[in-house]
Amino acid sequence: MTALTRWHVGPWTTRGTAPGAAFEPGRKRTPDELNFDIVGLSRIVGRRQTLPEEMLVRRCQAALRPTDPRVCGVQTLDPELSAELAAVATDAFTWLTERAPAGYEFVHTDAVELQPLLDLSADVVAVDAVVQLAGVPLPAARLATSHVRRSATGQWYAGDAACNWSGPHPSSAEAVAAVQAARTELIHQLTAADRQDLASTADRWPTVPVESD
């Protein structure tokens, strides 16, 4: 999963309206705008576009991302161009699903989201899945589900896509150790909550994700 070191549980694109649904200007993308975001996301993650796809994206960008500021949730494409973009977005989403981190899956709701697989018999069980299935307050959960990233100053933090829960640390190893300590505490809290079935999956939790960029 080398291409997805920068990851988080939850939406990876902006949210959009379903085809045929009423638009929500300023709040949600139109279906065409959401498809454009999906194609863009796959490119950011590492998918290489064919030359025809690149040309299509340029045509769509001219219609959906004009240079003058406009509210999202308004712009649409003509039916033929819309269908072409939707087909590329479908391929791009399929490409993404094949690269989900172990223990997770990409789903397409009104956005592309990364969600933990809730299968306790799987070879890899995400800590996020354990926390979700527990259904009780677990104080260690926030840090236990964190990933480690490097800041612009060179220091290391443990947190999620929006917040830092531990750090700064002088090295990635120390930030990882903080997350591992929280995971150990999480096991104790799960056992205390009479969820030994969840605690027993600890040997199948994935390693702490580390973003080195």
Side-chain angles (χ1 to χ4, degrees):
M1 208 285 283
T2 55
L4 291 179
T5 51
R6 185 192 300 268
W7 63 273
H8 65 273
V9 176
W12 282 45
T13 65
T14 51
R15 300 198 177 276
T17 55
F23 290 171
E24 299 182 43
R27 294 188 64 248
K28 290 186 176 183
R29 305 291 199 200
T30 65
D32 290 334
E33 289 174 327
L34 178 56
N35 283 331
F36 189 83
D37 283 351
I38 293 171
V39 174
L41 169 63
S42 69
R43 185 174 183 176
I44 291 171
V45 171
R47 180 177 180 268
R48 298 188 65 177
Q49 295 177 337
T50 64
L51 182 58
E53 287 177 345
E54 288 184 9
M55 298 304 296
L56 173 66
V57 167
R58 291 180 185 179
R59 291 165 61 199
C60 294
Q61 184 171 17
L64 299 175
R65 299 288 190 273
T67 54
D68 57 304
R70 296 187 188 178
V71 174
C72 76
V74 176
Q75 302 300 117
T76 60
L77 302 169
D78 66 71
E80 182 178 351
L81 194 57
S82 176
E84 290 182 42
L85 179 61
V88 175
T90 296
D91 290 343
F93 176 71
T94 299
W95 183 91
L96 282 170
T97 62
E98 295 168 351
R99 287 157 180 80
Y104 297 85
E105 64 177 345
F106 280 109
V107 296
H108 186 184
T109 55
D110 61 345
V112 171
E113 300 188 65
L114 185 69
Q115 297 180 357
L117 292 168
L118 305 180
D119 179 9
L120 295 183
S121 65
D123 292 337
V124 177
V125 179
V127 183
D128 300 279
V130 170
V131 171
Q132 184 172 329
L133 289 168
V136 296
L138 299 165
R142 188 171 67 179
L143 184 53
T145 56
S146 294
H147 64 274
V148 169
R149 69 174 182 83
R150 190 178 187 175
S151 70
T153 62
Q155 296 176 306
W156 294 85
Y157 293 84
D160 59 19
C163 299
N164 299 318
W165 307 125
S166 179
H169 299 279
S171 69
S172 60
E174 290 181 86
V176 168
V179 178
Q180 293 286 18
R183 289 185 174 190
T184 298
E185 181 59 28
L186 181 65
I187 295 171
H188 296 323
Q189 292 172 6
L190 288 167
T191 301
D194 198 25
R195 293 307 307 265
Q196 186 59 40
D197 59 325
L198 299 177
S200 65
T201 66
D203 61 345
R204 287 179 284 137
W205 293 352
T207 57
V208 179
V210 178
E211 174 197 333
S212 58
D213 296 337

